[in-house]
Every structure is written in structure tokens, then in C-alpha cells.
Amino acid sequence: MRWIWIDKFVEFESGKRAVAIKNVSLAEEHLHDHFPGYPIMPASLMIEAMAQTSGILVGEARGFREKVILAKVTKAVFHDLARPGDQLRLEAVADSVVEEAATITGTITCQNRTIAEISLIFSHIDKNMAGLEFPEENFVFNDQFMNLLQFYKPTGATGS
Amino acid sequence: MTMSHEEIYAKVQETLVDALGVDEEEVTEDATLMGDLGAESIDFLDIVFRLEKSFGIKIPREELFPAENLINNAEYVNNGKLTAAGLAKLKTQMPHVDFAEFEKDPDLNKISDLFCVSSIVKFVESKVNS
């Protein structure tokens, strides 16, 4: 099973940019430990949310043929806290998608607040790693992960 | 527009500071990317992307860092060392690199030492001022 950490896409321009929503909820168990009495979303999980948003953007750009793996977090600056009840808007912009990799500039906002700036590099691993062989099957984009995009309606409807 | 060596060097230095999280003082002309500055293979991609953006040029990755394709080819590699043919090939692919030291013992493990800051500067110079 693959862990899904964003709720839905609200904008998607193939190969260019994608916007996803993540609702932060006190039903997420880790928030009770991070921190007791002061629940805030861990910064690492903001990176994960941006990685999933941009991973799908990068994968879709090449028809989900590549195994797209997060290779480097080039920037992660956190400006504000994300708390239970916040709806995070994750915007990923593809600066470059080439044969072997892609670079993303990402911004996380909540209403008018900038929560974080996160830039990432993804590797198309079959095109890198000096000839190492990976499983034939695309273990990155399984059905569960792909459903996220399937429910996105380009007309702006919320999906069902 | 022609750029001077100093201008290019300063921008390359800035690029490497951002890409590798190193201090400006560490990025000397003869510092090697992997040995001295701790670059890993994915950082090479990052560096290429940043140089392209910063200088407004196109860099085919195998042009700046061509060794990867070469070392997987039996004609060019024998017993952990580059063959004469391999060395000749690498030289033509990397005209911006100084091979004097490497040539004495073309061990594959030392291939990463070829990538030093000055070779990037020379490469960018050839692209920008061509």
C-alpha cells in the first residue's frame, strides 16, 4: 500500500504546475505527540506533501512512464506553523523536466499566509544510477496514487 | 555578451554554494566537486540546472559530466582503469578539463577528481562566450 498524504488536486496544468490541497486534522495521531498540548504539522510532512504533489506533476509530464523518485530537497524554508483545521494549498511549479530529472519550485500557503517554500529535484531513476536495473513494474505510480489525479476535474469541479 | 573570467567564476561559485551548501571560501578554482565539496551524483544534475538558469545557457548533461556513459563501456574500461581509447574519448568529450594528473594513473576511482571548479568555469566560459 502506498501512503497518500494529500487530499486532492484543485489545479493541474500538464508539465507546468499543479495545486493540491491537504487538510490538517487533529484526527492525525502524530499531532498528539507533535507536540502534546501544542499540535503543529511536522515540517518533514510538509515536504512529503509537496513531494507527492510534484511527484505526480513530474510523472504525468512523461505519461507516467518514468519511475520518479525524490532525489534532493534543494530548499526548505518554513515561515509559519500549520495547525489542525488549516487547509494547506500546495503549489508546485515545474522549472524543468528533462530526460533524466525534473526540478520543482513549491510554495505552501494557508489563506493569506505563506507557510513554506520547498524546492525539490526528482530523478527518473531508469535514466540515472549508471545502469543499475530496477523492477519493471512502476512501483511509484500504483493505482492508489493515480486515483488522486483521476478524481481531479479540470473544469474546477471538486470531484466526487 | 562577453563575460570575464572573474564574473563567470563568481557566478559559478555562487551556484555551488547554493547547490552544495558549502561556504564560499571552500569553492576555490582547484577544489574537486566530489572530494573537496562533497557533491553526490544527484548534485551534478542540480548544478547543471542551476548553471542553465543562472547563465541562460543550455547544457546537455553528458557534455559537462560525460564520464557516466563512458565507464559502462567495456571498450573504454579495463580492470578498473580507463583504456587508452577510453582516455582519448574522455579527453575529446571534456576539452575544458586538465588531464595531466589523471593521465598518470587513469583509475576509475579518481575520475571524480577531474571535476573541479575550474573545469566548470572553463566549460561555462566556452558556452557563454562562443
Coordinates of all heavy atoms in Angstrom, one line a residue, chain A residues 61-142:
Chain A
A61 N 3.9 14.4 -16.6 CA 4.5 15.1 -17.7 C 5.1 14.2 -18.8 O 5.2 14.5 -20.0 CB 5.6 16.0 -17.2
R62 N 5.5 13.0 -18.3 CA 6.0 12.0 -19.3 C 5.2 10.7 -19.3 O 5.7 9.6 -19.4 CB 7.5 11.7 -18.9 CG 8.4 12.9 -19.1 CD 9.8 12.7 -18.6 NE 10.6 12.0 -19.6 CZ 11.3 12.6 -20.6 NH1 11.2 13.9 -20.7 NH2 12.0 11.9 -21.4
G63 N 3.9 10.9 -19.1 CA 2.9 9.8 -19.3 C 3.1 8.7 -18.3 O 2.7 7.6 -18.6
F64 N 3.6 9.0 -17.1 CA 3.8 8.0 -16.0 C 4.7 6.8 -16.5 O 4.6 5.7 -15.9 CB 2.5 7.5 -15.5 CG 1.7 8.6 -14.8 CD1 0.5 9.1 -15.4 CD2 2.1 9.1 -13.6 CE1 -0.2 10.1 -14.8 CE2 1.4 10.2 -13.0 CZ 0.2 10.6 -13.6
R65 N 5.5 7.1 -17.4 CA 6.5 6.0 -17.9 C 7.7 5.9 -17.0 O 8.3 4.9 -16.8 CB 6.9 6.3 -19.3 CG 5.8 6.0 -20.4 CD 6.4 6.1 -21.8 NE 6.9 7.5 -22.0 CZ 6.2 8.5 -22.3 NH1 4.9 8.4 -22.5 NH2 6.7 9.7 -22.5
E66 N 8.1 7.1 -16.4 CA 9.3 7.1 -15.6 C 9.0 6.7 -14.1 O 7.9 7.0 -13.6 CB 9.9 8.5 -15.6 CG 10.2 9.0 -17.0 CD 11.3 8.3 -17.6 OE1 12.1 7.6 -16.9 OE2 11.5 8.5 -18.9
K67 N 10.0 6.1 -13.5 CA 9.9 6.0 -12.0 C 10.5 7.2 -11.4 O 11.7 7.5 -11.5 CB 10.7 4.7 -11.6 CG 10.1 3.5 -12.2 CD 10.9 2.2 -11.9 CE 10.4 1.0 -12.6 NZ 11.2 0.7 -13.8
V68 N 9.6 8.0 -10.9 CA 10.0 9.3 -10.4 C 10.3 9.3 -8.9 O 9.4 9.0 -8.1 CB 8.9 10.3 -10.7 CG1 9.2 11.7 -10.1 CG2 8.6 10.5 -12.2
I69 N 11.6 9.5 -8.5 CA 12.0 9.4 -7.1 C 12.5 10.8 -6.6 O 13.3 11.4 -7.3 CB 13.1 8.4 -7.0 CG1 12.6 7.0 -7.4 CG2 13.7 8.3 -5.6 CD1 11.6 6.4 -6.5
L70 N 12.1 11.1 -5.4 CA 12.6 12.4 -4.9 C 14.1 12.2 -4.6 O 14.5 11.3 -3.9 CB 11.9 12.7 -3.5 CG 12.4 13.9 -2.8 CD1 12.3 15.2 -3.6 CD2 11.7 14.0 -1.4
A71 N 14.9 13.1 -5.2 CA 16.3 12.9 -5.1 C 17.0 13.9 -4.2 O 18.0 13.6 -3.6 CB 17.0 12.9 -6.5
K72 N 16.4 15.1 -4.2 CA 17.1 16.1 -3.4 C 16.1 17.2 -3.0 O 15.3 17.6 -3.8 CB 18.2 16.7 -4.2 CG 19.0 17.8 -3.5 CD 20.2 18.2 -4.4 CE 21.0 19.3 -3.7 NZ 22.2 19.7 -4.4
V73 N 16.2 17.6 -1.7 CA 15.4 18.8 -1.3 C 16.4 20.0 -1.4 O 17.3 20.1 -0.6 CB 15.0 18.6 0.2 CG1 14.2 19.8 0.7 CG2 14.1 17.3 0.3
T74 N 16.2 20.8 -2.4 CA 17.1 21.9 -2.7 C 16.8 23.1 -1.8 O 17.7 23.9 -1.5 CB 17.1 22.3 -4.1 OG1 15.7 22.3 -4.6 CG2 17.9 21.4 -5.0
K75 N 15.6 23.2 -1.3 CA 15.3 24.3 -0.5 C 14.1 23.9 0.4 O 13.1 23.3 0.0 CB 14.9 25.5 -1.3 CG 14.5 26.8 -0.5 CD 14.1 27.9 -1.4 CE 13.8 29.2 -0.7 NZ 13.3 30.2 -1.6
A76 N 14.2 24.2 1.7 CA 13.0 24.0 2.6 C 13.1 25.1 3.6 O 13.9 25.1 4.6 CB 13.1 22.6 3.2
V77 N 12.3 26.1 3.4 CA 12.2 27.2 4.4 C 10.8 27.3 4.9 O 9.8 27.4 4.1 CB 12.6 28.6 3.7 CG1 12.6 29.7 4.7 CG2 14.0 28.5 3.1
F78 N 10.7 27.4 6.2 CA 9.4 27.4 6.9 C 9.1 28.7 7.5 O 9.9 29.1 8.4 CB 9.3 26.2 7.9 CG 9.5 24.9 7.2 CD1 10.8 24.3 7.2 CD2 8.5 24.2 6.5 CE1 11.0 23.1 6.5 CE2 8.7 23.0 5.9 CZ 10.0 22.5 5.9
H79 N 8.0 29.3 7.1 CA 7.7 30.7 7.6 C 6.7 30.7 8.7 O 6.6 31.6 9.5 CB 7.2 31.6 6.4 CG 8.2 31.7 5.3 ND1 9.3 32.5 5.4 CD2 8.3 31.1 4.1 CE1 10.0 32.4 4.3 NE2 9.4 31.5 3.5
D80 N 5.8 29.7 8.7 CA 4.7 29.8 9.7 C 4.3 28.4 10.0 O 4.6 27.4 9.3 CB 3.5 30.6 9.0 CG 2.7 31.3 10.1 OD1 2.8 30.9 11.3 OD2 1.9 32.1 9.8
L81 N 3.5 28.3 11.1 CA 3.0 26.9 11.5 C 1.8 26.5 10.8 O 0.9 27.3 10.4 CB 2.8 27.0 13.0 CG 4.0 27.4 13.9 CD1 3.5 27.5 15.3 CD2 5.1 26.4 13.7
A82 N 1.6 25.2 10.6 CA 0.4 24.6 10.1 C -0.3 23.9 11.3 O 0.3 23.0 11.9 CB 0.6 23.7 8.9
R83 N -1.5 24.2 11.6 CA -2.2 23.7 12.8 C -3.4 22.9 12.3 O -3.9 23.1 11.2 CB -2.6 24.8 13.7 CG -1.5 25.6 14.3 CD -2.0 26.4 15.5 NE -0.9 27.0 16.2 CZ -0.4 28.2 15.9 NH1 -0.9 28.9 14.9 NH2 0.6 28.7 16.7
P84 N -4.0 22.1 13.2 CA -5.2 21.3 12.9 C -6.3 22.3 12.5 O -6.4 23.4 13.0 CB -5.6 20.7 14.3 CG -4.3 20.5 15.0 CD -3.5 21.7 14.6
G85 N -7.0 22.0 11.4 CA -8.1 22.8 10.9 C -7.6 23.7 9.7 O -8.4 24.2 9.0
D86 N -6.3 23.8 9.6 CA -5.8 24.5 8.4 C -5.9 23.7 7.1 O -5.8 22.5 7.1 CB -4.2 24.8 8.6 CG -4.0 25.9 9.6 OD1 -5.0 26.7 9.9 OD2 -2.8 26.1 10.0
Q87 N -6.2 24.5 6.1 CA -6.2 23.8 4.8 C -5.0 24.4 4.0 O -4.9 25.5 3.7 CB -7.5 24.2 4.0 CG -7.6 23.5 2.7 CD -8.9 23.7 2.0 OE1 -9.2 24.7 1.4 NE2 -9.7 22.6 1.9
L88 N -4.1 23.5 3.7 CA -2.9 23.9 3.0 C -3.1 23.8 1.5 O -3.6 22.8 1.0 CB -1.7 23.0 3.5 CG -1.4 22.9 5.0 CD1 -0.1 22.0 5.2 CD2 -1.2 24.3 5.6
R89 N -2.5 24.8 0.9 CA -2.6 24.8 -0.6 C -1.1 24.6 -1.1 O -0.3 25.4 -0.8 CB -3.1 26.2 -1.0 CG -3.4 26.3 -2.5 CD -4.0 27.7 -2.8 NE -4.4 27.8 -4.2 CZ -3.6 28.2 -5.2 NH1 -2.4 28.5 -4.9 NH2 -4.1 28.2 -6.4
L90 N -0.9 23.5 -1.7 CA 0.4 23.2 -2.2 C 0.6 23.5 -3.7 O -0.1 22.8 -4.5 CB 0.7 21.7 -1.9 CG 0.5 21.3 -0.5 CD1 -0.4 20.1 -0.4 CD2 1.9 21.0 0.2
E91 N 1.4 24.4 -4.0 CA 1.5 24.8 -5.4 C 2.9 24.3 -5.9 O 3.9 24.8 -5.3 CB 1.4 26.3 -5.7 CG 1.6 26.6 -7.1 CD 1.2 28.0 -7.5 OE1 0.9 28.8 -6.6 OE2 1.1 28.3 -8.7
A92 N 3.0 23.5 -6.9 CA 4.2 23.0 -7.4 C 4.4 23.5 -8.9 O 3.5 23.3 -9.7 CB 4.3 21.5 -7.4
V93 N 5.5 24.2 -9.1 CA 5.8 24.6 -10.5 C 7.0 23.9 -11.0 O 8.0 23.9 -10.4 CB 6.0 26.2 -10.5 CG1 6.4 26.7 -11.9 CG2 4.8 26.9 -10.0
A94 N 6.8 23.3 -12.2 CA 8.0 22.6 -12.8 C 8.9 23.6 -13.5 O 8.5 24.2 -14.5 CB 7.4 21.5 -13.8
D95 N 10.1 23.7 -13.0 CA 11.0 24.6 -13.7 C 11.6 24.0 -14.9 O 11.9 24.6 -15.9 CB 12.2 25.0 -12.7 CG 11.7 25.7 -11.5 OD1 10.8 26.6 -11.7 OD2 12.2 25.5 -10.4
S96 N 11.8 22.7 -14.8 CA 12.4 21.9 -15.8 C 12.1 20.5 -15.7 O 12.2 19.9 -14.7 CB 14.0 22.2 -15.7 OG 14.7 21.2 -16.3
V97 N 11.7 19.9 -16.8 CA 11.5 18.4 -16.9 C 12.3 17.9 -18.1 O 12.0 18.2 -19.2 CB 10.0 18.0 -17.1 CG1 9.9 16.5 -17.0 CG2 9.2 18.7 -16.0
V98 N 13.4 17.2 -17.8 CA 14.2 16.7 -18.9 C 14.3 15.2 -18.8 O 13.7 14.5 -18.0 CB 15.6 17.3 -18.9 CG1 15.6 18.8 -19.1 CG2 16.4 17.1 -17.6
E99 N 15.1 14.6 -19.7 CA 15.3 13.2 -19.9 C 15.5 12.5 -18.5 O 14.8 11.5 -18.2 CB 16.5 12.9 -20.8 CG 16.7 11.5 -21.1 CD 15.7 10.9 -22.1 OE1 14.9 11.7 -22.7 OE2 15.6 9.7 -22.2
E100 N 16.4 13.0 -17.7 CA 16.8 12.2 -16.6 C 16.3 12.8 -15.2 O 16.4 12.1 -14.2 CB 18.3 12.0 -16.5 CG 19.1 13.2 -16.3 CD 19.4 13.9 -17.6 OE1 20.1 13.4 -18.4 OE2 19.0 15.1 -17.7
A101 N 15.7 13.9 -15.3 CA 15.3 14.5 -14.0 C 14.3 15.7 -14.1 O 14.0 16.1 -15.3 CB 16.5 15.0 -13.2
A102 N 13.9 16.2 -13.0 CA 13.0 17.4 -13.0 C 13.2 18.2 -11.8 O 13.5 17.7 -10.7 CB 11.5 17.0 -13.1
T103 N 13.1 19.6 -12.0 CA 13.2 20.4 -10.8 C 11.9 21.2 -10.6 O 11.2 21.5 -11.5 CB 14.3 21.5 -11.0 OG1 14.1 22.2 -12.2 CG2 15.7 20.9 -11.0
I104 N 11.6 21.3 -9.3 CA 10.3 21.9 -8.9 C 10.5 23.0 -7.9 O 11.3 22.9 -7.0 CB 9.4 20.8 -8.2 CG1 9.1 19.7 -9.1 CG2 8.2 21.4 -7.5 CD1 8.0 20.0 -10.1
T105 N 9.8 24.1 -8.1 CA 9.7 25.1 -7.1 C 8.3 25.1 -6.4 O 7.3 25.2 -7.1 CB 9.9 26.5 -7.7 OG1 11.2 26.5 -8.3 CG2 9.9 27.6 -6.6
G106 N 8.3 24.9 -5.1 CA 7.0 24.7 -4.5 C 6.7 25.8 -3.4 O 7.6 26.2 -2.7
T107 N 5.5 26.1 -3.2 CA 5.1 27.0 -2.2 C 3.8 26.4 -1.4 O 2.9 25.9 -2.1 CB 4.6 28.4 -2.8 OG1 5.6 28.7 -3.8 CG2 4.6 29.5 -1.7
I108 N 3.9 26.5 -0.1 CA 2.7 26.1 0.6 C 2.1 27.3 1.3 O 2.8 28.1 2.0 CB 3.1 25.1 1.7 CG1 3.8 23.8 1.1 CG2 1.9 24.6 2.5 CD1 4.2 22.8 2.1
T109 N 0.8 27.5 1.1 CA 0.1 28.6 1.7 C -1.1 28.1 2.4 O -1.6 27.1 2.2 CB -0.3 29.7 0.6 OG1 -1.1 29.0 -0.4 CG2 0.9 30.4 0.0
C110 N -1.6 29.0 3.3 CA -2.9 28.7 4.0 C -3.6 30.1 4.1 O -3.1 31.0 4.8 CB -2.6 28.2 5.4 SG -4.1 27.9 6.3
Q111 N -4.6 30.2 3.4 CA -5.3 31.5 3.2 C -4.2 32.5 2.7 O -3.6 32.3 1.7 CB -6.0 31.9 4.4 CG -7.2 31.0 4.7 CD -7.9 31.2 5.9 OE1 -7.3 31.5 7.0 NE2 -9.2 31.0 5.9
N112 N -4.0 33.6 3.5 CA -3.0 34.6 3.0 C -1.6 34.3 3.6 O -0.7 35.1 3.3 CB -3.5 36.0 3.4 CG -4.8 36.3 2.7 OD1 -5.0 35.9 1.5 ND2 -5.6 37.0 3.4
R113 N -1.5 33.3 4.3 CA -0.2 33.1 4.9 C 0.7 32.2 4.1 O 0.3 31.1 3.6 CB -0.3 32.4 6.3 CG -1.0 33.2 7.3 CD -1.0 32.5 8.7 NE -1.9 31.3 8.6 CZ -1.5 30.1 9.2 NH1 -0.4 30.0 9.8 NH2 -2.3 29.1 9.1
T114 N 2.0 32.6 3.9 CA 2.9 31.6 3.3 C 3.5 30.7 4.4 O 4.1 31.2 5.4 CB 4.1 32.4 2.7 OG1 3.6 33.2 1.7 CG2 5.1 31.4 2.0
I115 N 3.3 29.4 4.3 CA 3.7 28.5 5.3 C 5.1 28.0 5.0 O 6.0 28.0 5.9 CB 2.8 27.3 5.4 CG1 1.3 27.7 5.6 CG2 3.2 26.3 6.4 CD1 1.0 28.1 7.0
A116 N 5.4 27.7 3.8 CA 6.7 27.2 3.4 C 7.1 27.3 2.0 O 6.2 27.4 1.1 CB 6.8 25.7 3.8
E117 N 8.4 27.4 1.7 CA 8.9 27.3 0.3 C 9.8 26.1 0.2 O 10.7 25.9 1.0 CB 9.8 28.6 0.1 CG 9.0 29.9 0.1 CD 9.9 31.0 0.0 OE1 10.4 31.5 1.1 OE2 10.3 31.5 -1.1
I118 N 9.4 25.2 -0.7 CA 10.1 23.9 -0.8 C 10.4 23.7 -2.2 O 9.5 23.6 -3.1 CB 9.2 22.8 -0.2 CG1 8.9 23.0 1.3 CG2 9.8 21.4 -0.5 CD1 7.9 22.1 1.9
S119 N 11.7 23.5 -2.5 CA 12.1 23.2 -3.9 C 12.7 21.8 -3.9 O 13.5 21.4 -3.0 CB 13.1 24.2 -4.4 OG 12.5 25.5 -4.4
L120 N 12.4 21.0 -5.0 CA 12.8 19.6 -5.0 C 13.4 19.3 -6.3 O 13.1 19.9 -7.4 CB 11.5 18.8 -4.8 CG 10.7 19.0 -3.5 CD1 9.4 18.3 -3.6 CD2 11.5 18.7 -2.3
I121 N 14.2 18.2 -6.3 CA 14.7 17.6 -7.6 C 14.2 16.1 -7.6 O 14.4 15.4 -6.6 CB 16.2 17.7 -7.7 CG1 16.7 19.1 -7.8 CG2 16.7 16.8 -8.9 CD1 18.1 19.2 -8.1
F122 N 13.7 15.7 -8.7 CA 13.2 14.3 -8.9 C 14.1 13.7 -9.9 O 14.5 14.3 -10.9 CB 11.8 14.3 -9.3 CG 10.8 14.6 -8.3 CD1 10.4 16.0 -8.1 CD2 10.3 13.7 -7.4 CE1 9.5 16.3 -7.1 CE2 9.4 14.1 -6.4 CZ 9.0 15.4 -6.3
S123 N 14.4 12.4 -9.7 CA 15.3 11.7 -10.6 C 14.4 10.7 -11.3 O 13.5 10.0 -10.7 CB 16.4 11.0 -9.8 OG 17.0 10.0 -10.7
H124 N 14.5 10.6 -12.6 CA 13.9 9.5 -13.4 C 14.9 8.3 -13.3 O 15.8 8.2 -14.0 CB 13.7 9.8 -14.8 CG 12.7 11.0 -15.0 ND1 12.9 11.9 -16.0 CD2 11.7 11.4 -14.3 CE1 11.9 12.8 -15.9 NE2 11.1 12.5 -14.9
I125 N 14.7 7.4 -12.3 CA 15.8 6.5 -11.9 C 16.3 5.6 -13.0 O 17.4 5.2 -13.0 CB 15.6 5.8 -10.6 CG1 14.3 5.0 -10.7 CG2 15.6 6.7 -9.4 CD1 14.1 4.0 -9.5
D126 N 15.4 5.2 -13.9 CA 15.9 4.3 -15.0 C 16.9 5.0 -15.9 O 17.7 4.4 -16.7 CB 14.7 3.8 -15.9 CG 13.9 2.8 -15.1 OD1 14.5 2.1 -14.2 OD2 12.7 2.7 -15.3
K127 N 16.9 6.4 -15.9 CA 17.8 7.1 -16.7 C 19.1 7.6 -16.0 O 19.9 8.3 -16.5 CB 17.1 8.4 -17.2 CG 15.8 8.1 -18.0 CD 16.1 7.8 -19.4 CE 15.0 7.1 -20.1 NZ 13.7 7.8 -20.1
N128 N 19.2 7.2 -14.7 CA 20.3 7.6 -13.9 C 21.0 6.4 -13.3 O 20.8 5.3 -13.8 CB 19.9 8.5 -12.8 CG 19.6 9.9 -13.3 OD1 20.5 10.5 -13.9 ND2 18.4 10.4 -13.2
M129 N 21.7 6.5 -12.2 CA 22.2 5.4 -11.4 C 23.1 4.5 -12.3 O 23.2 3.3 -12.0 CB 21.1 4.6 -10.8 CG 20.0 5.4 -10.2 SD 20.5 6.2 -8.7 CE 20.6 4.9 -7.5
A130 N 23.7 5.0 -13.3 CA 24.8 4.3 -14.0 C 24.4 2.9 -14.3 O 25.1 1.9 -14.0 CB 26.1 4.4 -13.3
G131 N 23.3 2.7 -15.0 CA 22.9 1.4 -15.5 C 22.4 0.4 -14.5 O 22.1 -0.8 -14.8
L132 N 22.1 0.8 -13.2 CA 21.5 -0.1 -12.3 C 20.1 -0.5 -12.8 O 19.4 0.3 -13.4 CB 21.4 0.5 -10.9 CG 22.6 0.6 -10.0 CD1 22.2 1.2 -8.7 CD2 23.1 -0.8 -9.7
E133 N 19.7 -1.7 -12.5 CA 18.4 -2.1 -13.0 C 17.4 -2.1 -11.9 O 17.6 -2.5 -10.8 CB 18.4 -3.5 -13.6 CG 19.1 -3.4 -15.0 CD 19.1 -4.8 -15.7 OE1 18.3 -5.6 -15.3 OE2 19.8 -4.9 -16.7
F134 N 16.2 -1.6 -12.2 CA 15.1 -1.5 -11.2 C 14.0 -2.4 -11.7 O 13.9 -2.7 -12.9 CB 14.6 -0.1 -11.1 CG 15.7 0.8 -10.4 CD1 16.5 1.6 -11.2 CD2 15.9 0.8 -9.1 CE1 17.5 2.3 -10.6 CE2 16.9 1.6 -8.5 CZ 17.7 2.3 -9.3
P135 N 13.0 -2.7 -10.8 CA 11.9 -3.6 -11.2 C 11.2 -3.0 -12.4 O 11.1 -1.8 -12.6 CB 11.0 -3.6 -10.0 CG 11.9 -3.3 -8.9 CD 13.0 -2.4 -9.4
E136 N 10.7 -3.9 -13.3 CA 10.0 -3.5 -14.5 C 8.8 -2.7 -14.1 O 8.5 -1.6 -14.7 CB 9.6 -4.8 -15.2 CG 9.0 -4.6 -16.6 CD 10.1 -4.2 -17.6 OE1 11.3 -4.5 -17.4 OE2 9.7 -3.6 -18.6
E137 N 8.1 -3.2 -13.1 CA 6.8 -2.5 -12.7 C 7.1 -1.1 -12.2 O 8.1 -0.9 -11.5 CB 6.2 -3.5 -11.6 CG 5.2 -2.8 -10.8 CD 5.1 -3.5 -9.4 OE1 5.8 -4.5 -9.2 OE2 4.5 -2.9 -8.5
N138 N 6.1 -0.2 -12.5 CA 6.3 1.1 -11.9 C 5.8 1.2 -10.5 O 4.6 1.4 -10.3 CB 5.7 2.2 -12.8 CG 6.2 3.6 -12.5 OD1 6.5 3.9 -11.4 ND2 6.3 4.4 -13.5
F139 N 6.7 1.0 -9.6 CA 6.3 1.0 -8.2 C 6.0 2.3 -7.6 O 5.4 2.5 -6.5 CB 7.4 0.3 -7.3 CG 8.7 0.9 -7.5 CD1 9.1 2.0 -6.8 CD2 9.6 0.3 -8.4 CE1 10.4 2.5 -7.0 CE2 10.9 0.8 -8.6 CZ 11.3 2.0 -7.9
V140 N 6.3 3.4 -8.3 CA 6.0 4.7 -7.9 C 4.5 5.0 -8.1 O 3.8 5.4 -7.2 CB 6.8 5.8 -8.6 CG1 6.5 7.2 -8.0 CG2 8.3 5.5 -8.4
F141 N 4.1 4.8 -9.3 CA 2.7 5.2 -9.7 C 1.8 4.0 -9.7 O 1.4 3.5 -10.8 CB 2.7 6.0 -11.0 CG 3.5 7.2 -11.0 CD1 4.7 7.3 -11.6 CD2 3.1 8.3 -10.2 CE1 5.5 8.5 -11.6 CE2 3.8 9.5 -10.2 CZ 5.0 9.6 -10.8
N142 N 1.4 3.6 -8.5 CA 0.4 2.5 -8.5 C -1.0 3.0 -8.6 O -1.2 4.3 -8.6 CB 0.6 1.6 -7.2 CG 0.4 2.4 -5.9 OD1 -0.1 3.6 -6.0 ND2 0.7 1.8 -4.8

